Amino acid sequence: VSAQKLEDGGDEASVRRRFAAAGQDHVGAHLDRLDRPRRAALLAQLATVDLDLLQRLVAEMKRDRPIVGLDIGSAEPPDWLALERVAGSDEERRARRLGEERLAAGKVAALVVAGGQGTRLGFDGPKGCFEVGPLSRRSLFAWHAGKVLAARRRFGARIPFLVLTSQANDEATREFFAAQDHFGLPADDVMIFRQGMLPAVDFEGKLLFEAEDRLALAPDGHGGTLTALAASGTLDALEARGIEDVFYFQVDNPLVKVLDPAFLGHHHERASQVSSKACRKRDAAEKVGVFASSEGRLGIIEYSDLPAEMMNARAADGDLRFRAGNIAIHVFAIDFVRRLTQGGLRLPYHRAIKSVPYVDANFEVVTPSHKNAVKFETFVFDALPLAERTLVLETAREEEFSPIKNREGEDSPATARRDLDAAFRRWLATAAPGAAPEAIEIAPSFAFDVEEFAAKVAGVRDLASRRLLLE
Ligand code: UD1
């Protein structure tokens, strides 16, 4: 139904009928109370709602069965490439060389997901604009872009940087990138693309209105990355450039080794369709998903879905039975993404219970003090069980995972800065043993890895300065 057709009352009647038939009869009453321009605005938005999907989601919600991408009952700990096996091995060196070749041949792109609403951090604006550089106050976006820049220089390749946004932060993200000159990357190698939105509903399954003439919508989850890659034409653009693998990560983790060659190499060597990095869980209660396998397929069980007895179960070695924590770093093979999205990808929709402001029957805005709404999201890792060939690679937490989730306490800006500081000091120790600056920051674009860092600072005299900022 086009917005233009809606000017004519006939189509309005059909929209009203369709929503009433879908159990959303309050929509008609709501329309009745709007003046013409506002009614037209709302009708245009209503026309974009996939009513079949909405009905299915509400029906699933009323049945209240847990939504999981993998059968939990038969889940076993998965095979993984454990650190003690790979660290310092010939296999690791071979994988790294192979990954470096892939980067130099221009076969790889980097993709950061940044479409979420970041409610726990309580930061106003895209989370990628949050300042994390201990000395430079560099933003998360600048941090990740700097790593891509370092890889481009090191391997002499045109590596695209993809950024997933959502309606809520797309414009602000584009402005931020433009205002900072794309952090030194060529503008046409920065591909910002938007995920889809889905309506939020109340506990009865009724659509909520965020304003008189607007539905309350929420991003459709990072599973939306895959559909948005295809729908936005980004997948075509990547294929046209000969890209074969996408290095995927989350905006909230400044420690991620963007485009890690060893990981890319292990992935390619095994012709894996989706590869994942994992960290040993800090403790049973840590809020990370866990890798598991069932019926020969790999998947991730989200922390909120993991039954307590599985969460606390111990293996014979005394360690947690499900110990492989999801740090949301993956490599997706482009041909796998193409195959998934061609067939009309159907990932399960998970439900998140949230507090969502809405307008009541008097058109007054209500900001609820309690949770009042359900949002629907797909998870990118629910694509794992759809792959025949996968890989899980263990990595050291202190080198790769320190996400910013909360304002304070664990997984906060303070812990991320602490872990960055420690990582910088480990690099510094290789070049200037004993140097102990009061504060240190190594810009992400300064060096791609510790070897490049050591070569670059050899002969620099001032490594012992109290505030050491290497740009
Ligand atoms: C997520 C993982 C969890 C993992 C942990 C590691 C999910 C469901 N769970 O948990 O298994 O152990 O990270 O840090 O992802 N995003 C979008 N669009 C959306 C929703 C999210 O782009 O619609 C992005 C966010 O911007 C963020 C990332 O996805 O970069 C993760 O979202 P978040 O809600 O913080 O996930 P967690 O619950 O922390």
Side-chain angles (χ1 to χ4, degrees):
V1 186
S2 76
Q4 199 155 27
K5 267 177 145 185
L6 288 167
E7 305 261 301
D8 132 28
D11 284 296
E12 178 171 340
S14 100
V15 171
R16 286 169 180 267
R17 256 197 320 276
R18 287 196 305 117
F19 276 79
Q24 304 289 342
D25 35 351
H26 67 306
V27 170
H30 191 99
L31 282 166
D32 287 341
R33 308 187 53 237
L34 295 175
D35 59 19
R36 253 185 94 85
R38 290 200 174 90
R39 200 158 68 224
L42 180 57
L43 282 164
Q45 195 193 26
L46 289 170
T48 66
V49 173
D50 180 343
L51 270 179
D52 292 338
L53 175 61
L54 179 69
Q55 274 182 282
R56 178 158 73 81
L57 297 179
V58 169
E60 276 175 7
M61 172 182 120
K62 291 191 172 159
R63 280 203 302 275
D64 195 28
R65 257 192 266 144
I67 301 288
V68 286
L70 195 78
D71 175 43
I72 294 187
S74 58
E76 301 269 335
D79 287 334
W80 70 342
L81 270 184
L83 256 182
E84 56 260 30
R85 168 169 159 193
V86 280
S89 66
D90 283 344
E91 188 180 7
E92 181 78 356
R93 273 185 289 278
R94 199 176 57 232
R96 183 173 157 183
R97 265 197 310 278
L98 180 58
E100 289 175 346
E101 281 164 28
R102 302 277 297 160
L103 285 161
K107 299 290 182 201
V108 187
L111 187 167
V112 63
V113 287
Q117 291 169 312
T119 29
R120 276 176 290 170
L121 184 61
F123 173 65
D124 194 23
K127 203 171 189 175
C129 305
F130 188 80
E131 291 171 353
V132 68
L135 296 178
S136 66
R137 305 185 65 91
R138 182 178 273 109
S139 66
L140 280 164
F141 277 141
W143 203 266
H144 301 315
K147 297 271 186 70
V148 177
L149 192 60
R152 290 170 64 106
R153 285 199 196 122
R154 170 70 170 273
F155 300 106
R158 211 177 135 201
I159 302 172
F161 183 36
L162 280 60
V163 184
L164 178 78
T165 63
S166 66
Q167 192 175 297
N169 61 24
D170 182 75
E171 216 178 289
T173 302
R174 287 176 194 273
E175 279 167 11
F176 193 71
F177 271 79
Q180 310 216 20
D181 213 8
H182 298 86
F183 310 105
L185 294 168
D188 54 355
D189 286 346
V190 177
M191 304 178 179
I192 300 177
F193 67 114
R194 216 157 69 156
Q195 68 180 110
M197 303 288 281
L198 283 172
V201 299
D202 67 14
F203 295 151
E204 307 296 310
K206 304 282 184 207
L207 291 167
L208 290 167
F209 297 92
E210 157 188 281
E212 286 170 32
D213 55 356
R214 233 177 23 246
L215 290 170
L217 301 177
D220 62 1
H222 44 53
T225 310
L226 303 174
T227 19
L229 269 175
S232 63
T234 310
L235 194 55
D236 295 333
L238 294 177
E239 284 172 343
R241 287 185 180 204
I243 301 288
E244 291 173 358
D245 290 318
V246 173
F247 183 99
Y248 169 107
F249 62 102
Q250 295 188 162
V251 72
D252 59 15
N253 178 20
L255 229 54
V256 51
K257 277 192 206 162
V258 177
L259 299 163
D260 173 21
F263 184 38
L264 289 164
H266 283 300
H267 164 86
H268 188 66
E269 200 173 21
R270 289 168 175 74
S272 170
Q273 292 160 315
V274 195
S275 300
S276 310
K277 282 207 187 182
C279 263
R280 218 162 271 248
K281 272 179 75 171
R282 188 161 50 203
D283 49 56
E286 187 185 8
K287 287 188 171 172
V288 292
V290 292
F291 287 87
S293 73
S294 165
E295 292 156 355
R297 295 285 166 146
L298 179 71
I300 290 174
I301 306 174
E302 186 55 345
Y303 53 87
S304 45
D305 295 324
L306 189 68
E309 64 276 15
M310 283 172 76
M311 184 171 94
N312 296 308
R314 297 277 158 181
D317 63 2
D319 204 343
L320 290 171
R321 181 155 185 262
F322 291 92
R323 67 187 72 164
N326 170 33
I327 58 171
I329 300 173
H330 306 282
V331 178
F332 284 91
I334 281 285
D335 55 6
F336 177 63
V337 177
R338 173 59 83 190
R339 198 191 82 197
L340 285 184
T341 51
Q342 241 164 8
L345 176 65
R346 272 179 65 138
L347 296 177
Y349 285 87
H350 300 255
R351 295 183 289 270
I353 314 290
K354 299 272 163 129
S355 157
V356 172
Y358 62 98
V359 293
D360 64 12
N362 300 319
F363 289 169
E364 305 273 352
V365 177
V366 182
T367 306
S369 54
H370 53 275
K371 297 185 173 175
N372 64 317
V374 180
K375 292 179 179 177
F376 302 99
E377 295 189 331
T378 60
F379 296 165
V380 79
F381 54 69
D382 283 332
L384 266 60
L386 305 176
E388 290 95 41
R389 292 180 309 281
T390 55
L391 159 75
V392 184
L393 177 68
E394 186 190 0
T395 183
R397 176 186 295 267
E398 66 275 13
E399 286 183 9
E400 279 201 67
F401 186 51
S402 187
I404 299 176
K405 307 274 187 195
N406 310 308
R407 239 174 284 193
E408 285 163 358
E410 268 177 0
D411 299 337
S412 66
T415 54
R417 290 198 186 103
R418 176 201 65 199
D419 294 342
L420 278 170
D421 181 82
F424 299 145
R425 287 176 194 277
R426 279 195 303 273
W427 276 24
L428 184 65
T430 64
E438 263 166 37
I440 174 170
E441 177 171 340
I442 302 168
S445 56
F446 185 78
F448 180 69
D449 55 22
V450 66
E451 289 79 9
E452 189 180 336
F453 172 79
K456 208 161 165 182
V457 297
V460 174
R461 259 175 298 132
D462 206 17
L463 287 179
S465 79
R466 284 170 50 214
R467 283 169 56 87
L468 186 59
L469 174 60
L470 292 160
E471 291 270 8

